[in-house]
Amino acid sequence: MYHLVYISYASKPMQEADLLDILNTSRLNNKQANITGMLVYLRERFIQVLEGDYAAVNKIYKDIKEDTRHRKVTTVLEGNTEHRIFKDWSMGFKKIDDQQQFEELSGFK
């Protein structure tokens, strides 16, 4: 199972409606491509994990890099694992308002 983790900056501060639009679009596209993952939004930054078939993940990632809602999209980690981490999530999502919430996320430490 291929996985890719990236970070990016929001091109503008995201309102709830903006985040819901991203989430709904991501869930639809990811379900069609058999991609699972997690998206976190913190202080106008995104961190996302995508997992699935190599070609499918990279197609979605290419689209993200061309999405005007993101800037400075940077790959943090990529590789292969035996199993999906987010097998039940077409796209999990968490908006975090402060650093402490981020550090309290399951698996952060």
Side-chain angles (χ1 to χ4, degrees), residues 6 11-30 39 41 46 48 64 67-70 90-93 95:
Y6 76 86
S11 57
K12 64 175 184 136
M14 295 281 137
Q15 304 301 316
E16 293 294 323
D18 299 317
L19 294 170
L20 283 174
D21 182 52
I22 290 172
L23 183 59
N24 289 332
T25 301
S26 296
R27 285 183 171 161
L28 177 66
N29 292 339
N30 292 354
L39 175 65
Y41 180 70
F46 294 101
Q48 184 168 20
I64 290 166
D67 188 327
T68 58
R69 296 173 292 192
H70 295 268
S90 62
M91 181 50 56
F93 175 76
K95 180 182 179 210

Side-chain angles (χ1 to χ4, degrees), residues 27 29-37 49-53 56-58 60 84 89-91:
R27 285 183 171 161
N29 292 339
N30 292 354
K31 187 174 182 178
Q32 291 173 349
N34 195 29
I35 292 175
T36 53
V49 179
L50 299 168
E51 53 189 13
D53 175 73
V57 167
N58 279 287
I60 294 286
R84 290 180 189 263
W89 298 359
S90 62
M91 181 50 56

Side-chain angles (χ1 to χ4, degrees), residues 39-75:
L39 175 65
V40 174
Y41 180 70
L42 169 67
R43 295 186 189 150
E44 298 179 29
R45 293 178 187 94
F46 294 101
I47 182 166
Q48 184 168 20
V49 179
L50 299 168
E51 53 189 13
D53 175 73
Y54 177 86
V57 167
N58 279 287
K59 162 72 171 86
I60 294 286
Y61 187 49
K62 178 183 178 290
D63 294 343
I64 290 166
K65 291 192 288 187
E66 294 173 355
D67 188 327
T68 58
R69 296 173 292 192
H70 295 268
R71 61 186 177 82
K72 296 185 180 179
V73 180
T74 305
T75 303

